[in-house]
Each structure stands twice: as structure tokens, then as C-alpha cells.
Amino acid sequence: MSLNLSSNGPAYVSREIRQGVPLSYVSEKLSHAIIDTHAAGVAHPEARKRLSHVMYSQTKAFLALHNVLGAADAQGLPELLLDMERHELHSWIAAVVKHGDLLGTGDA
């Protein structure tokens, strides 16, 4: 699978100063939600169509958090993630975390 890690583009970019929960914590929780949704799809294949809508929202938020929202435009991404083996999903998440820019500093 090709991982398009293009930037968000100017329409989604603004400078913000925040205080609160570290974004790495939010990223970790979203990745667990994506993994849990995948597990639900494996356990309940009859629910995959509905789960693909859940996966879409979670994935879009996760990619936006890491400033790689352009990757969300991949055709059928939620279904592709649901069809992956567990280790492939973990690798995809790790690639987003590694190549993304969680803090929006442009250092990624």
C-alpha cells in the first residue's frame, strides 16, 4: 500500500497555541480506536459496511492530527484498513506517526 503523506494544504492550516492534553496522548487513543474498530471488523464481518464509516471518521481525525490529511483522500482507505492484517494496520499507524508532523512544526 502506498502511503500518500502529503501535507494538509493551506485550507486546513492555521497557527494555534494550546494548553492541555499532549497531542501524543490523543494520537495514541485514536490509534487504539482504529485498532479496536479493525478488531470488530474481523470479529463481525457482517458489520464491516457500518464499521467503514466509523473507520473513516477515526482515520480522518488521526491523519489530521498528524498533519497528513492528504492521505485521507486515498480511494477506499477505510475499507483497505479494515481488510489489512493486524500487523499491516500497526505498520500503517506507525508510518503515519513516524512521517507525520504531530506538532505542526514542519520538522517531519
Side-chain angles (χ1 to χ4, degrees):
M1 173 182 153
S2 172
L3 182 62
N4 175 14
L5 291 175
S6 62
S7 66
N8 293 329
Y12 299 105
V13 177
S14 67
R15 177 72 66 202
E16 293 183 350
I17 298 172
R18 65 178 304 279
Q19 291 182 342
V21 176
L23 295 179
S24 58
Y25 176 83
V26 177
S27 173
E28 178 187 343
K29 296 309 170 196
L30 274 172
S31 67
H32 288 303
I34 291 168
I35 291 166
D36 289 345
T37 301
H38 178 268
V42 170
H44 304 284
E46 71 283 359
R48 286 176 84 101
K49 183 172 179 148
R50 184 170 177 104
L51 288 171
S52 70
H53 297 291
V54 175
M55 184 67 87
Y56 173 81
S57 297
Q58 292 171 340
T59 303
K60 192 140 190 161
F62 182 68
L63 292 170
L65 183 65
H66 285 275
N67 289 298
V68 287
L69 193 53
D73 293 335
Q75 185 71 12
L77 181 61
E79 293 82 7
L80 182 64
L81 295 174
L82 285 168
D83 288 339
M84 285 182 174
E85 296 292 328
R86 182 179 170 92
H87 72 278
E88 292 174 313
L89 181 66
H90 284 270
S91 294
W92 182 86
I93 289 169
V96 171
V97 170
K98 179 179 179 183
H99 299 291
D101 184 9
L102 185 65
L103 300 177
T105 60
D107 295 334

